[in-house]
Amino acid sequence: MSWRKEQRRAERGYHHGNLKEALLQAALGLIAEKGAAGFTFADAARMAGVSAAAPYRHFRDRDELLSSIAQRGFEQFEQRLAAAWDDGRPDTVTAFERVGKAYLAFAREEPAFYNAMFESGVPVDANPALQAASERAFNIIRAAAERLAALTPPGTPRPPAMMMALHIWSMAHGVASLFSRGDAARRKLPMSPDELLEAEVLIYLRGLGFPTDRRPAGKGAEPPPVPPEAPSGSGVPPGGTPGGPWGKPK
Amino acid sequence: MSWRKEQRRAERGYHHGNLKEALLQAALGLIAEKGAAGFTFADAARMAGVSAAAPYRHFRDRDELLSSIAQRGFEQFEQRLAAAWDDGRPDTVTAFERVGKAYLAFAREEPAFYNAMFESGVPVDANPALQAASERAFNIIRAAAERLAALTPPGTPRPPAMMMALHIWSMAHGVASLFSRGDAARRKLPMSPDELLEAEVLIYLRGLGFPTDRRPAGKGAEPPPVPPEAPSGSGVPPGGTPGGPWGKPK
DNA sequence: GGCTCATGTAAAGATCGTTCACATGAGCTG
DNA sequence: CAGCTCATGTGAACGATCTTTACATGAGCC
């Protein structure tokens, strides 16, 4: 046995005290480094200063550890999305876009969680708690979509809110997993993932009849200003950044 | 040594004859079954009836096999996308949507390839040939986007074609990887992935000012042949079919 | 026929995931 | 405080995988 190990043991005694948490943290670090596939149960144990068999006292097997991380990830994800949504303040469209940004930010800033959640092959539906956490996170997007759906300008086709939510989710996930993470991020793009997603969502919202004219596209005339936030009237600020979400068209 | 093995050997002699190809096929089957993560080099060897060391005569290591499969996948992917695009016939928008469908169809029908290409953790940029194949596939989408960009009705914002291509790619990939494959597909949806993507793309195109009012929601009449390629038409048509691509709003 | 080299084999080392019998010690009970 | 118990950690061991190394085979070519 290594000197190091003995030393660790001396420091902390026979019992670790908080092994479960330590393992989760270790795994998180390892996944961030080498991906969920490269992460090793034995490595996590080593990193926690414990024998290879010890983790089995806290997790049925390697998959359960991964699953736990995914679940915790969904919980944090939900919190961040909820904070971004902020119940639709100051206006629905702005908040909606903030959710998109939060999605990408999470994928970028918490690669280990995102990996465990969406790219580790953990079957979400196998674990009820995990599935529930996943649904709670999605429900934020869904709630936002409901609000948005209620606001689609009259005379415009109005898809079910659920569908809009799924659309947004797929856009965000598509951008995140193709361009915003790991080696995929190395695909060189003419713009940042954030800009890409923002423009995508804006075009989509325009397709639903929402005024997205706060960013005049190019030199052209302002797109016809549909009454902001249709029925009630609290709404999208008319002003905007010049250049449009996609920059000046050449 | 097993009887089976001896028998196989007797059938084919000491040399396999076409081991490289056999390994690729075996791997493809295994990945389809158990995912790229669960796929094992030794298993592929076994399935080809050779010793565990034999594959190393044809692939530097397990990753190179995976990488080869990904590359082959991108090549087939390119072919299918190209066939779907069919150089924009009969009209750009129709062909464009066909590309979207082809994307999903590939993801669904060739799970092993799709898995190796996008979900196996193979670093695309590590292998120049692989990267080139990937780019050739993307170029189909890109070419389609160029054509579409050239047609955006005047008076409408016109994002760069490259951006449009990336948008479409991210939508397709998002839908495919969230809803169209593996356990993720088990997330129960109120509609098929194909419908979901089609609606998403249509709304997006509408956001770009394209007329997307053909296609009465259900089993209705034949899509009214909108004058194909309508650069002259003004943006979003006021009428549109009731319901649009997403069925009747409730 | 004989040489050569690509192709396959067997054996072995390193690492993992996992299990099992056993050790330790924290906390309760009396 | 003594003793018991049970959660928690240890070591050893099994089978599987990946990979390397030395050796075997035989197809093609002179």
Side-chain angles (χ1 to χ4, degrees), chain A:
Chain A
M1 20 206 100
S2 71
W3 174 52
R4 237 194 126 47
K5 204 160 167 188
E6 285 301 340
Q7 175 146 7
R8 276 236 181 97
R9 181 115 37 105
E11 283 166 7
R12 62 147 233 260
Y14 189 93
H15 287 283
H16 182 288
N18 200 4
L19 184 52
K20 185 162 189 169
E21 192 55 35
L23 288 171
L24 286 168
Q25 292 304 326
L28 219 44
L30 289 170
I31 293 174
E33 264 183 58
K34 305 185 289 186
F39 144 75
T40 226
F41 215 27
D43 243 352
R46 216 163 336 198
M47 191 161 296
V50 110
S51 80
Y56 289 86
R57 295 294 178 195
H58 301 275
F59 302 95
R60 197 180 336 90
D61 55 16
R62 182 180 173 282
D63 283 345
E64 199 187 84
L65 207 192
L66 231 46
S67 181
S68 291
I69 290 189
Q71 179 172 345
R72 198 173 279 212
F74 277 115
E75 285 158 7
Q76 296 205 11
F77 194 43
E78 181 200 355
Q79 287 184 18
R80 294 196 46 168
L81 292 186
W85 171 235
D86 191 22
D87 206 31
R89 277 177 287 260
D91 67 277
T92 305
V93 172
T94 301
F96 203 71
E97 285 166 21
R98 217 169 36 213
V99 171
K101 282 206 202 335
Y103 195 115
L104 289 192
F106 184 85
R108 194 179 337 104
E109 293 163 21
E110 301 285 0
F113 277 132
Y114 200 84
N115 197 320
M117 290 157 65
F118 293 114
E119 302 162 346
S120 67
V122 171
V124 199
D125 57 338
N127 179 345
L130 179 57
Q131 187 165 20
S134 157
E135 271 168 26
R136 277 194 300 274
F138 173 65
N139 277 343
I140 304 293
I141 299 180
R142 188 190 160 118
E146 308 261 13
R147 284 274 281 280
L148 209 53
L151 292 177
T152 48
T156 335
R158 176 184 304 193
M162 176 55 128
M163 178 181 259
M164 290 175 46
L166 294 171
H167 284 162
I168 297 299
W169 191 14
S170 67
M171 292 184 212
H173 179 72
V175 170
S177 77
L178 284 178
F179 312 115
S180 199
R181 332 195 34 264
D183 17 79
R186 288 181 221 146
R187 295 181 208 267
K188 39 184 186 285
L189 294 181
M191 69 216 67
S192 77
D194 283 77
E195 290 169 324
L196 191 67
L197 180 61
E198 182 177 5
E200 186 171 350
V201 171
L202 281 175
I203 294 171
Y204 176 85
L205 291 181
R206 177 191 294 266
L208 289 176
F210 282 91
T212 53
D213 52 330
R214 30 197 203 123
R215 294 164 183 77
K219 325 295 193 177
E222 300 278 315
V226 178
E229 299 272 342
S232 58
S234 65
V236 183
T241 355
W246 38 71
K248 308 197 188 238
K250 276 273 167 71

